Amino acid sequence: MEVINENAALLSNYEVLHLLTDLQAGENGQKKPNKYLQNLATISYETTKYLEKTPCKDQSPEIIEKFMNSLLRYNLTKAEKLQLLNHRPTAAVEIQLLIEESEERLTEEQIEELLQLVAECLIPESTENDEEDEDEEMTEDT
């Protein structure tokens, strides 16, 4: 997935990660920050390192497209879809925080459907297993 114009629209965490990675590598015609732009280089590096530890590293253009297409029937704004993509809610209360006036706009069934879509499309099995392993380790430690 290529970002054509960084200023034209909102970007997902996945797109930011790949834009910064390309920038750091000097790919896609992007210029690497020079020594005079040290602050930019530091921000780019730190942001990349942070995003590489988030689930967006496991996304692909195909996953994002499938998820966005599955959201079409919910009449959500672009910003709300992006929030769902980036935050991957796992509880109804999180949906309420991400979608404006969700109580009026969505039924309980639709909220459950959204949570199921997030789980099916965006949460990789390895992440779920890692969380279960961490829970088991914490239980063993106590």
Side-chain angles (χ1 to χ4, degrees), residues 32-69:
K32 287 178 103 174
N34 61 30
K35 64 181 178 179
Y36 301 107
L37 299 173
Q38 190 63 37
N39 290 339
L40 176 60
T42 300
I43 292 168
S44 295
Y45 175 79
E46 293 296 328
T47 303
T48 301
K49 289 301 167 200
Y50 168 77
L51 289 173
E52 286 174 344
K53 294 176 185 174
T54 67
C56 78
K57 73 179 182 319
D58 298 320
Q59 289 179 342
S60 68
E62 295 79 21
I63 290 171
I64 294 171
E65 183 178 352
K66 177 183 175 190
F67 180 68
M68 291 301 185
N69 286 336

Side-chain angles (χ1 to χ4, degrees), residues 99-121:
I99 298 176
E100 190 173 333
E101 299 176 353
S102 64
E103 297 86 9
E104 291 86 30
R105 294 172 52 204
L106 299 170
T107 65
E108 287 184 33
E109 293 81 24
Q110 289 175 316
I111 290 173
E112 289 303 316
E113 288 172 11
L114 283 172
L115 292 171
Q116 186 65 31
L117 284 171
V118 169
E120 289 173 3
C121 296

Side-chain angles (χ1 to χ4, degrees), residues 18-32:
H18 284 276
L19 180 66
L20 290 174
T21 303
D22 290 350
L23 179 68
Q24 290 171 351
E27 294 176 7
N28 293 334
Q30 302 287 342
K31 294 181 182 176
K32 287 178 103 174

